[in-house]
Amino acid sequence: GGGGAGFQDFRFSPDFITTTVFQKQGKSFDIQINNTGSVNLEVSLETVNLTNMAILSQENFVLNVGEKKDLKLYLYSLSEVPPGVYFGKIIIKAGSIQKEIKIVLEVKEREPLFDIKVKVPVEYKVVKAGEDVKVIVDMLNVGLYGNAVDVDLYLSIVNLEKILVYELSREVIAVETN
């Protein structure tokens, strides 16, 4: 008598991935698939509801009996992806078996961060009524370096009692680096 057909089975980890990425950034995750059955498997992976947000290092391969395979999943956010929480999954098919890795991906807006220095040149430290005051405002874009960001600049002058002496209307400046 002939031995019956072998059985198909596989294990994988993790089965749930939850993470946060900022726009224009990404993170990678390790996925391991292990053939725990008694026949070689043709494995395929497919991402669902994560178009333009997920890349798998490999989507189709053969996994021999007892063999383990390490894959990379890269979750990312393009600049045009609106901030929010996205739900998706990776469907793993091997033979007649289908299993899934659930994914929750939160996309956050990258916030502009600035290092600001204000200098008052010596000749403007003391001014009489009616004279001009000149200041040097140095803004360094450290949060979105290399991306021009429109900055609202408000300039006001207060005395030592923090009473507003003069307020200038706002000025909009595009700051790419500084």
Side-chain angles (χ1 to χ4, degrees):
F7 69 98
Q8 302 172 341
D9 199 11
F10 66 92
R11 279 201 212 107
F12 63 95
S13 72
D15 57 359
F16 188 78
I17 294 172
T18 178
T19 191
T20 301
V21 296
F22 291 101
Q23 286 172 315
K24 293 190 182 179
Q25 291 183 333
K27 288 182 184 168
S28 68
F29 297 87
D30 294 315
I31 295 173
Q32 187 176 78
I33 301 173
N34 184 0
N35 184 345
T36 55
S38 63
V39 291
N40 295 346
L41 294 173
E42 281 189 33
V43 180
S44 69
L45 290 89
E46 178 192 358
T47 57
V48 178
N49 291 341
L50 294 166
T51 309
N52 292 335
M53 299 178 95
I55 297 173
L56 285 159
S57 60
Q58 242 183 313
E59 293 182 344
N60 296 284
F61 52 88
V62 172
L63 200 55
N64 296 326
V65 175
E67 192 180 8
K68 288 180 182 167
K69 179 92 173 162
D70 291 312
L71 304 168
K72 287 261 187 238
L73 168 68
Y74 187 62
L75 295 174
Y76 61 95
S77 164
L78 301 172
S79 56
E80 58 267 21
V81 172
V85 178
Y86 296 85
F87 299 90
K89 57 189 171 184
I90 296 171
I91 295 174
I92 307 169
K93 291 180 189 165
S96 57
I97 304 171
Q98 182 172 312
K99 300 183 183 183
E100 59 187 45
I101 300 171
K102 290 177 176 52
I103 296 172
V104 178
L105 175 62
E106 183 184 17
V107 175
K108 283 190 172 174
E109 207 170 343
R110 281 172 66 199
E111 287 157 16
L113 293 170
F114 291 91
D115 189 11
I116 298 170
K117 292 186 182 80
V118 178
K119 293 185 200 107
V120 180
V122 174
E123 60 269 31
Y124 297 102
K125 295 263 185 197
V126 177
V127 287
K128 294 185 177 78
E131 292 182 344
D132 286 342
V133 175
K134 287 191 180 175
V135 294
I136 298 162
V137 179
D138 188 25
M139 286 186 281
L140 178 65
N141 179 348
V142 292
L144 294 166
Y145 190 80
N147 296 301
V149 175
D150 283 340
V151 176
D152 293 343
L153 177 64
Y154 294 88
L155 188 64
S156 55
I157 299 170
V158 293
N159 65 15
L160 292 175
E161 285 78 45
K162 294 198 171 146
I163 295 167
L164 188 64
V165 175
Y166 180 77
E167 187 170 32
L168 194 69
S169 62
R170 76 173 198 168
E171 192 179 339
V172 180
I173 305 168
V175 179
E176 190 165 328
T177 50
N178 68 323

